[in-house]
Amino acid sequence: MTTTTQFWLNDRLITTSASAGMLVLDYLRKQERLVGTKEGCKEGDCGACAILIGELVDGRMHYQPVTSCLVPLGEMHGKHVVSIEGLNSRELSPVQDAMVNRCGSQCGFCTPGFVVSMSWYVMCAKGEPSRDGMKRAISGNLCRCTGYASIVRAGDDLVEGFGPGGNWESIWQADDRIKAMAEANMVPAYFNEMPKRLAAIAPHVVEPAHEGAPVDFHVAGGTDLYVQKGEHIPDGQVKILNRHPEMKGIRLEGDTFHVGALTTFEEFGANADIAKMIPRIQDYLFLIASLHLRNRATLSGNIINASPIGDMTILLLALDSELVFFEDDGQRTVAMKDFFKSYKVYDKRPREIMTEIIFPKVDANTRIHFEKVSKRKCLDIATVNSAIKIRTSDEGVIEAVNLTLGGVAAVPLWLPETAKYLVGKSIEPATLHAALDIAQGEISPISDVRGSADYKRLLARQFIIAHFVELFPDRMRFEQVV
Amino acid sequence: MKHYDAILHVRGESEYVDDVTPPAGMLHAAVFASNVAHGRIVSLDLEAARASDGVVAILTASDIPGANQIGGVIEDEALLAEGHVHFQGEPVALVVAESFEQALKAVAKIKMEVELGEIIVDPRVAFEKGEVIGVPRTFEMGDVEAAWAACDVVIEGRSDVAGQEHLYLETQRARAVPSEGGRLRVYSSTQGPYAVQKTVAKVLGVPHHVIEVDVRRLGGGFGGKEDQATAWGCLAALAAWNLKRPVELVLNRIDDLKMTGKRHPYSADYKIGATKDGKILAYAVRHYQNAGAACDLSLAVLERTLFHSTNAYNIANVRAFAASCRTNLPPNTAFRGFGGPQGMFAIESALTEVAEALGTSREEIQYRNLISDGDMFPYGQEVEHAQAQRTWEEAIDSFDYAGMRRAVDKHNATNTATKKGLAIMPICFGISFTATFLNQASALLHIYTDGSVSISTGGVEMGQGINTKIINIAAKALGIRESRIFVESTNTSRIANMSPSAASATTDLNGGATILAAGELMARFRTLMAQEFRINDPGTITIVDEQVLYRGEATGWDWEKLVNKAYMSRIALSSHAFYATPNVWFDKTKEKGRPFAYHAYGTAIIQVTLDCLRGIYDFDTVRIVHDLGRPINELVDLGQIEGGLAQGLGWMTLEELAYNDQGRLLSHALSTYKAPDGFFMPDDIQVILVEDSDNESGPYGSKAVGEPPLMYGIGAFFAIREAVRAYTGGQPMAFDAPLTPEKALLALHADKLGGLSAKRTAKSSVSAAIAAAVVAVIPGK
């Protein structure tokens, strides 16, 4: 299947028949010789290859920073790809100027990626500019030279400049900030043309995702698939699932959430209903991945990857999620608790496509919490993670509970025995201690590069304690239970 | 002036090796490496790979026209394995294809059979078996054996410190381009252009002058490209030589992590003795260095471990022994600090034990024993211009250490869920290559008739800012504006026999040569102007802000007019100068000498908060007082201090190289090897530079800055350890770095492990980490 992909690369219209599965990074560096975008790891872990991808949403350009080492070229159809070269004007931009002034660049190899991420922040971030916001924008960028301090200072200069009383406050507050920046020569003038230009590209006509000829690879966010099989994908038949917007979006129908399979982590956290149900979702997402990866990684991808330590998987498992699959001959729904069979083996037929994740909305007496520890707090894979959904009576008696643990078995684990024990008990240290013992009988961690089996056992214990201490601070304090 | 390259960097316009437009017909290479750590090669099947799409050639040891040897210090390392393999990741064959992807695919089709040999990964085991590289060294001062008797407390203990991946963002790479007469130009990402030049020449069997090595810049080096860039330069050159076509070799991240050496892990046994009021009287230490499978720079690294075995402390009786132990890991190599940090970790561990035994604070013992002028280092150099006490005292005062300590103690008295830890880390680091002959450099300076200036030195720009500093220095020496000056690539045809950019000495050496080169030109200009003005003393002529002055007064002559006059008068507008660090020497037969031109000093305070439920920690603050002498460029130097600190903190905490007992690196990708990110580093870092400092041995009174700040990070270990012990009530805890969240949690809740083990449903062995955490290191008194 050769399909022509048409998109804008910086200020240039590209029409290419290059493989849909080719990485945007390789396309930029090898086909276009746009070598400002660097390859540091090809795993989405360093951000040296960061680019912006722009889409037309309701007549406005909507940009996101992503790592181009995990993005298939075929998905760029109808989009605006911005590499570092596309941010350059004759004069330095405020971001570039701040980085130069603060010596935020030493060897320079990571610098284009930082500049792209920081540029996204000043072009697109919502709310008031802040140091924390800027740091979150560069959470997917590694630098080995500076120790970050000078980069943070450069960020501070920008936050000050665009913030209240700053020289560029009016630009930040402008109704169309990118347009205001283009007029002030902070981004090249061609940015103003992009809505018109993208609107002129005819969308691909695509068959429903579960139909059509068999393919070698179904690519969704690609954040794990490219890490595992990156060298084979460009040569294979690829179905770009993100060409199916019908598989995105979050709907609350009555008391049930319907979450499109291609919903990204970032979209999930940004949904107001989700945020209401899981009040600390942003704190969890901060631990789960960098902004660049959260912009790409999908919920279904996280589930289908079937890693025993998938962060969103562990959370969704605790929410009593059901998975909806489509195949030529119809639809099937599988409870997530029954989905995982053994290590990376699960209940899905080869041609089935996951289209939706369904879970019930919780009532006011139900609380949800997520815990994760990894070697590095941010942008790291969990050693162990855990989620809980727990409903209690006003008197503190547990009425229903789901407890899940990742990294302690061959599959993302839910702990039925522990849950069974907890139901009907009141929240007090003795209950918890008994539950900890039962949970240890339900897990079977192994030693690996992320930690020893004993460490994982200990973490599992600590997380169960953490759930109760975090959710019921009035009934259980750290000192009472540890 | 900011960083000279920064404007190109922020626009993505800086060119690294493979960013330069490739020459027509360029081929791409990929390396087939051993996937076992030791054994005899029984067979190597290249057939399927040869038939693979796009493959042009597959090269093995038999294709090497010269010597199959890249060992720079000891000739013990093959470029391509022959007969035997000695570590996982050892290059065996080079696939050359039309594209990189094709080369990688062909690599996957190569089959090698190996008859497994014994695999050693532990340096102590290697030492027991006599697998020692070179000869173990011992530095001795005073009489330790006699001193123990005078001590009120004598403690024996052990410390272990793991390696560290350099994680330069730009992986290893080189491009070799053949030209007429069999000559080769090699574009290499190397800190040691001359090492690449002479090794390529050796491998090809040609004179050095046939090979030209050119280095524009590196995307980070940190020591990892001092010696270990050489193999990749040689492989690209070998392929270009054989195929008469340009060849590029770029390691992907996983290959880079698997195939290259790291910072050396060390294990040490120490014995330390002190009086009851905390004066250290004697220190004996035995260091076992994990060198990996070949020497590389291990013996020089080993030597620096000995040089820094007492850090910033004055100890009258010292015996420091160190052995370089051969194991089946990739050959470990230079990394910022070069063995010094490992030596310091052992003495800091030992001092901590003294404090615990005496029931006093760590900082009490540290301060009590800081060196001062007139003391002797164990290697026979007298302490001069010591800044240990000064930086310590300024840190204590400026940052209100007493207040910090009170706040931490109060927090710990009133909180259980979190504990805080505080540590002070003084550093004393010797500046100069300890191989004295390397302390030489040259500079080539051209002035063109428009007044613009071109400078070549042996210094390699790897982000540390050498080019910026060379411009700062040259502008000052010539009295002209910086924008007139361009620093050329580092090139072996312009600068011969250069030392690597290493040992923190690149600015000292190449800046020193630049001052001399500029001085020669200035002497010619002064003579010319003296003739022009008909005055006797050329010394009365100066150039300031591009104006020629006579006795400080304007003459109406400016730089451009002067340069033009010189040209028309047939005065040479180029100079080449040579600098050799004066007054450094070392006698290895006695292990005494004056190896260092001077020492760099500073003191850091590190505070951490530990989450006692989860075993994770955050750094609250790092406060540093650092001595830069009279800095040439404060902003650039600040970047070195902060960047070095980050690497040191990472080394002590989350950067964990996990090798299994088969010598396989398990943390072989950035998804498993974690270096500091922006949220790991504390927001609150303050650096104060010592004022009114000077340094007669550095250019314009400046001091080297590259390596020393890394060692501030060692304090992190002791800060976290203090926080853990604040929770456990002072339970013993091993000195085993990095102190990962895993080790922290296991130490916090060691008492819970037994209970958990009883509940096991699956078998799992007690890990070494736990063994280390629960086995008490009880001082033998």
Side-chain angles (χ1 to χ4, degrees):
Chain A
M1 185 178 70
T2 50
T3 314
T4 305
T5 305
Q6 197 170 60
F7 63 99
W8 283 83
L9 172 54
N10 302 328
D11 193 18
R12 212 148 46 87
L13 180 65
I14 300 286
T15 306
T16 176
S17 55
S19 161
M22 184 181 205
L23 290 169
V24 172
L25 171 64
D26 288 336
Y27 181 80
L28 292 176
R29 286 190 63 84
K30 293 176 183 179
Q31 304 262 329
E32 297 293 334
R33 294 292 310 165
L34 287 174
V35 293
T37 305
K38 306 299 182 196
E39 177 183 327
C41 68
K42 252 188 175 169
E43 287 199 305
D45 273 312
C46 78
C49 68
I51 58 166
L52 303 183
I53 296 179
E55 285 181 271
L56 195 55
V57 180
D58 301 329
R60 285 275 182 90
M61 289 304 298
H62 174 74
Y63 289 94
Q64 288 186 318
V66 302
T67 51
S68 63
C69 68
L70 298 175
V71 178
L73 183 68
E75 197 187 317
M76 294 304 99
H77 186 82
K79 298 192 177 168
H80 182 206
V81 173
V82 185
S83 68
I84 181 71
E85 291 87 352
L87 293 170
N88 287 338
S89 303
R90 222 169 59 88
E91 304 291 324
L92 295 183
S93 72
V95 170
Q96 291 169 326
D97 201 44
M99 285 288 276
V100 171
N101 280 331
R102 293 297 189 163
C103 239
S105 173
Q106 288 186 25
C107 85
F109 203 81
C110 72
T111 308
F114 273 95
V115 170
V116 166
S117 300
M118 295 166 87
S119 297
W120 171 81
Y121 186 74
V122 298
M123 286 162 68
C124 306
K126 297 188 173 73
E128 290 297 318
S130 68
R131 168 185 275 197
D132 187 60
M134 180 63 90
K135 283 183 75 174
R136 284 174 186 244
I138 57 172
S139 64
N141 294 89
L142 292 185
C143 169
R144 192 55 157 167
C145 293
T146 62
Y148 303 94
S150 53
I151 298 172
V152 172
R153 284 192 286 271
D156 287 349
D157 289 350
L158 294 162
V159 166
E160 197 187 317
F162 284 98
N167 288 339
W168 309 313
E169 182 188 6
S170 63
I171 289 175
W172 184 277
Q173 302 295 348
D175 173 53
D176 187 340
R177 197 190 303 160
I178 293 175
K179 185 160 172 255
M181 289 181 74
E183 281 162 4
N185 294 320
M186 291 180 171
V187 295
Y190 76 83
F191 271 87
N192 274 338
E193 308 298 318
M194 294 322 299
K196 199 168 64 196
R197 288 171 167 182
L198 291 198
I201 297 177
H204 273 139
V205 178
V206 289
E207 73 239 350
H210 57 279
E211 291 177 6
V215 297
D216 303 315
F217 300 102
H218 287 100
V219 182
T223 52
D224 201 78
L225 192 64
Y226 273 104
V227 175
Q228 314 257 351
K229 295 173 181 163
E231 67 270 42
H232 305 295
I233 299 173
D235 297 339
Q237 291 295 327
V238 172
K239 179 161 276 184
I240 304 287
L241 294 173
N242 275 330
R243 286 178 176 170
H244 296 271
E246 72 276 10
M247 286 163 64
K248 275 189 173 290
I250 300 171
R251 287 175 291 128
L252 183 55
E253 284 182 11
D255 282 338
T256 305
F257 277 98
H258 292 257
V259 180
L262 293 177
T263 303
T264 65
F265 292 12
E266 192 65 7
E267 288 163 347
F268 185 76
N271 181 277
D273 292 322
I274 296 291
K276 208 168 150 192
M277 178 167 125
I278 313 172
R280 289 177 61 188
I281 185 69
Q282 287 301 331
D283 295 339
Y284 309 150
L285 286 172
F286 176 61
L287 299 179
I288 283 173
S290 69
L291 175 66
H292 302 65
L293 291 187
R294 294 197 307 266
N295 280 332
R296 292 291 306 162
T298 64
L299 298 186
S300 59
N302 198 249
I303 296 167
I304 290 292
N305 180 35
S307 162
I309 39 175
D311 289 321
M312 295 307 279
T313 301
I314 284 301
L315 180 60
L316 292 168
L317 190 58
L319 299 182
D320 283 308
S321 296
E322 293 183 309
L323 312 176
V324 180
F325 291 94
F326 264 88
E327 202 177 7
D328 301 335
D329 52 1
Q331 179 182 341
R332 188 171 70 100
T333 301
V334 184
M336 205 170 162
K337 282 175 181 169
D338 301 326
F339 182 64
F340 302 105
K341 298 302 182 191
S342 57
Y343 183 68
K344 299 237 172 189
V345 175
Y346 42 73
D347 178 15
K348 182 183 107 58
R349 296 177 206 139
R351 285 177 56 79
E352 275 184 335
I353 293 280
M354 193 196 301
T355 56
E356 211 170 48
I357 300 151
I358 298 172
F359 52 82
K361 186 184 157 189
V362 302
D363 60 27
N365 287 333
T366 301
R367 304 175 198 206
I368 294 164
H369 185 60
F370 173 82
E371 286 279 333
K372 167 179 178 174
V373 160
S374 46
K375 202 169 284 171
R376 189 172 64 205
K377 194 197 280 177
C378 305
L379 184 55
D380 194 0
I381 296 169
T383 302
V384 174
N385 51 15
S386 179
I388 193 168
K389 182 173 96 165
I390 182 166
R391 191 176 77 225
T392 52
S393 69
D394 295 339
E395 293 76 36
V397 175
I398 300 169
E399 294 174 346
V401 62
N402 263 345
L403 176 65
T404 59
L405 274 165
V408 294
V411 296
L413 200 68
W414 66 289
L415 285 73
E417 297 301 322
T418 310
K420 199 167 102 189
Y421 167 79
L422 283 170
V423 171
K425 305 286 190 305
S426 61
I427 294 171
E428 56 191 46
T431 306
L432 180 57
H433 282 131
L436 293 177
D437 284 351
I438 297 168
Q440 289 295 326
E442 292 195 83
I443 64 176
S444 50
I446 56 168
S447 296
D448 63 16
V449 67
R450 304 198 185 282
S452 63
D454 298 85
Y455 178 45
K456 292 176 184 178
R457 282 194 175 274
L458 193 48
L459 276 176
R461 173 186 186 272
Q462 301 304 98
F463 282 169
I464 298 171
I465 295 170
H467 286 314
F468 283 89
V469 171
E470 293 283 340
L471 290 178
F472 304 100
D474 300 340
R475 295 184 183 278
M476 200 138 11
R477 288 195 354 271
F478 174 86
E479 292 77 8
Q480 296 175 294
V481 286
V482 171
Chain B
M1 185 194 188
K2 318 293 181 193
H3 198 290
Y4 173 61
D5 269 350
I7 289 176
L8 292 177
H9 289 342
V10 298
R11 297 173 63 89
E13 291 170 350
S14 315
E15 292 184 325
Y16 302 80
V17 170
D18 59 325
D19 292 342
V20 178
T21 305
M26 190 175 79
L27 300 168
H28 297 264
V31 178
F32 171 79
S34 174
N35 61 359
V36 297
H38 186 207
R40 185 178 68 84
I41 300 174
V42 177
S43 68
L44 184 65
D45 179 359
L46 303 174
E47 257 181 64
R50 282 218 166 92
S52 190
D53 279 352
V55 170
V56 175
I58 300 179
L59 305 174
T60 62
S62 63
D63 297 300
I64 294 172
N68 182 15
Q69 184 50 248
I70 59 168
V73 177
I74 292 179
E75 296 204 330
D76 67 346
E77 189 177 0
L79 175 62
L80 290 169
E82 219 172 341
H84 289 79
V85 289
H86 307 89
F87 62 93
Q88 287 208 17
E90 180 173 354
V92 178
L94 186 73
V95 175
V96 190
E98 297 290 344
S99 77
F100 176 65
E101 290 75 15
Q102 288 169 330
L104 263 192
K105 277 181 190 153
V107 163
K109 294 174 185 168
I110 295 177
K111 291 185 190 73
M112 182 170 74
E113 253 183 282
V114 177
E115 184 185 294
L116 265 187
E118 185 191 18
I119 294 166
I120 302 173
V121 295
D122 181 336
R124 288 178 185 259
V125 172
F127 185 79
E128 291 288 309
K129 291 178 180 286
E131 289 289 340
V132 174
I133 297 173
V135 179
R137 306 268 299 268
T138 302
F139 284 14
E140 208 154 3
M141 181 168 72
D143 184 345
V144 282
E145 294 309 329
W148 302 128
C151 299
D152 297 315
V153 55
V154 175
I155 296 160
E156 288 181 61
R158 168 177 171 160
S159 67
D160 289 274
V161 59
Q164 183 178 27
E165 163 58 31
H166 302 86
L167 212 67
Y168 28 67
L169 261 284
E170 178 211 34
T171 52
Q172 303 272 3
R173 60 197 62 193
R175 178 189 286 181
V177 182
S179 64
E180 61 178 28
R183 295 175 55 80
L184 271 183
R185 178 175 291 169
V186 182
Y187 300 92
S188 167
S189 178
T190 179
Q191 294 171 244
Y194 185 45
V196 174
Q197 182 193 24
K198 62 185 176 188
T199 314
V200 169
K202 185 199 271 184
V203 165
L204 299 181
V206 297
H208 293 184
H209 70 207
V210 170
I211 309 301
E212 177 181 7
V213 176
D214 190 88
V215 184
R216 178 67 259 178
R217 65 169 62 77
L218 275 54
F222 316 115
K225 296 172 182 171
E226 180 178 348
D227 207 55
Q228 297 229 340
T230 301
W232 324 110
C234 287
L235 286 172
L238 176 69
W241 173 271
N242 273 287
L243 302 171
K244 311 283 179 246
R245 286 173 70 176
V247 176
E248 183 172 282
L249 172 59
V250 177
L251 295 191
N252 63 26
R253 179 61 65 185
I254 288 176
D255 279 354
D256 190 298
L257 280 161
K258 281 182 181 167
M259 294 178 190
T260 65
K262 326 289 182 202
R263 183 190 296 286
H264 294 76
Y266 274 69
S267 189
D269 294 320
Y270 51 77
K271 184 173 178 182
I272 189 164
T275 64
K276 59 181 180 298
D277 56 352
K279 178 72 193 155
I280 306 294
L281 297 183
Y283 177 59
V285 61
R286 289 174 69 83
H287 288 288
Y288 301 94
Q289 177 200 55
N290 190 335
C295 177
D296 194 278
L297 296 167
S298 293
L299 295 179
V301 170
L302 190 81
E303 194 175 42
R304 202 173 261 279
T305 302
L306 292 173
F307 282 125
H308 296 97
S309 58
T310 53
N311 189 15
Y313 308 108
N314 177 45
I315 303 174
N317 302 288
V318 175
R319 187 173 61 226
F321 164 95
S324 180
C325 309
R326 191 186 292 109
T327 63
N328 298 108
L329 300 184
N332 287 315
T333 192
F335 193 151
R336 204 175 200 166
F338 205 75
Q342 293 95 321
M344 292 185 190
F345 184 73
I347 183 70
E348 291 295 330
S349 299
L351 283 181
T352 305
E353 291 217 65
V354 169
E356 285 165 12
L358 293 175
T360 181
S361 69
R362 217 176 85 83
E363 46 270 30
E364 191 74 39
I365 304 297
Q366 289 174 303
Y367 182 63
R368 179 80 226 269
N369 293 283
L370 289 175
I371 51 172
S372 47
D373 283 2
D375 293 342
M376 293 297 282
F377 288 107
Y379 43 91
Q381 182 163 355
E382 191 182 324
V383 178
E384 300 167 272
H385 311 300
Q387 298 274 37
Q389 289 179 352
R390 181 176 172 192
T391 58
W392 178 288
E393 283 159 11
E394 285 194 19
I396 298 290
D397 294 344
S398 308
F399 300 125
D400 184 23
Y401 181 75
M404 291 175 81
R405 173 49 76 193
R406 275 195 305 275
V408 164
D409 289 347
K410 187 176 169 203
H411 176 95
N412 288 347
T414 50
N415 287 276
T416 313
T418 62
K419 295 287 183 187
K420 287 184 185 288
L422 194 53
I424 305 183
M425 183 67 202
I427 58 162
C428 166
F429 195 77
I431 303 300
S432 290
F433 282 98
T434 54
T436 302
F437 73 93
L438 289 173
N439 295 295
Q440 55 172 306
S442 44
L444 177 65
L445 203 158
H446 297 317
I447 302 172
Y448 296 97
T449 56
D450 66 349
S452 66
V453 176
S454 150
I455 301 177
S456 295
T457 73
V460 170
E461 177 61 55
M462 47 187 155
Q464 87 280 43
I466 177 67
N467 288 357
T468 309
K469 286 188 171 181
I470 292 291
I471 291 173
N472 296 151
I473 287 168
K476 187 167 178 168
L478 295 170
I480 60 173
R481 59 175 193 264
E482 291 172 338
S483 60
R484 286 195 185 273
I485 304 167
F486 181 74
V487 178
E488 305 286 346
S489 65
T490 314
N491 184 295
T492 55
S493 297
R494 270 180 267 116
I495 300 292
N497 313 322
M498 63 183 76
S499 296
S501 287
S504 305
T506 315
T507 302
D508 285 10
L509 296 172
N510 295 281
T514 301
I515 291 173
L516 293 177
E520 274 182 40
L521 285 156
M522 286 301 295
R524 291 175 208 158
F525 289 154
R526 286 195 184 103
T527 305
L528 178 69
M529 286 293 94
Q531 284 166 1
E532 179 72 22
F533 302 150
R534 299 173 191 286
I535 53 178
N536 291 325
D537 180 9
T540 54
I541 305 287
T542 53
I543 303 176
V544 176
D545 293 337
E546 307 228 325
Q547 301 302 311
V548 179
L549 307 181
Y550 168 60
R551 296 190 188 282
E553 299 292 327
T555 60
W557 284 69
D558 66 6
W559 175 253
E560 287 185 19
K561 188 175 172 189
L562 167 68
V563 168
N564 192 54
K565 172 72 179 175
Y567 176 70
M568 298 308 290
S569 310
R570 299 192 292 168
I571 304 290
L573 284 171
S574 296
S575 64
H576 174 273
F578 178 80
Y579 177 83
T581 311
N583 194 21
V584 287
W585 58 278
F586 194 71
D587 182 350
K588 280 194 188 182
T589 61
K590 299 193 176 75
E591 302 287 28
K592 298 285 179 193
R594 188 179 186 280
F596 300 117
Y598 60 93
H599 289 76
Y601 291 91
T603 298
I605 303 170
I606 297 178
Q607 185 182 310
V608 71
T609 299
L610 176 71
D611 173 341
C612 300
L613 180 57
R614 300 173 185 85
I616 55 178
Y617 41 75
D618 279 311
F619 293 106
D620 304 332
T621 56
V622 179
R623 304 283 160 83
I624 293 170
V625 173
H626 190 86
D627 176 25
L628 287 174
R630 299 180 187 279
I632 291 167
N633 189 319
E634 276 191 28
L635 201 55
V636 166
D637 287 354
L638 179 63
Q640 290 298 296
I641 294 170
E642 292 169 342
L645 169 70
Q647 283 181 341
L649 293 179
W651 178 46
M652 282 291 119
T653 56
L654 50 77
E655 296 190 36
E656 190 173 35
L657 287 164
Y659 287 98
N660 69 9
D661 59 3
Q662 293 302 297
R664 177 180 296 276
L665 178 62
L666 303 175
S667 49
H668 67 273
L670 295 202
S671 52
T672 43
Y673 186 84
K674 308 313 280 190
D677 66 352
F679 284 102
F680 170 84
M681 294 301 291
D683 270 350
D684 185 7
I685 298 173
Q686 290 178 36
V687 179
I688 294 178
L689 302 178
V690 172
E691 283 180 21
D692 302 322
S693 179
D694 199 356
N695 177 27
E696 62 199 21
S697 306
Y700 295 127
S702 65
K703 278 194 169 187
V705 68
E707 292 168 284
L710 179 130
M711 283 149 266
Y712 291 137
I714 294 170
F717 180 93
F718 296 93
I720 300 167
R721 189 175 176 280
E722 183 184 286
V724 171
R725 295 178 82 247
Y727 181 87
T728 63
Q731 286 297 309
M733 188 172 168
F735 296 94
D736 184 9
L739 211 172
T740 56
E742 173 167 2
K743 285 182 195 157
L745 189 71
L746 291 172
L748 283 166
H749 302 291
D751 57 323
K752 307 296 188 308
L753 283 171
L756 300 185
S757 305
K759 311 284 184 319
R760 269 171 214 190
T761 54
K763 261 192 175 175
S764 62
S765 59
V766 177
S767 77
I770 297 161
V774 296
V775 172
V777 184
I778 303 293
K781 292 185 186 171

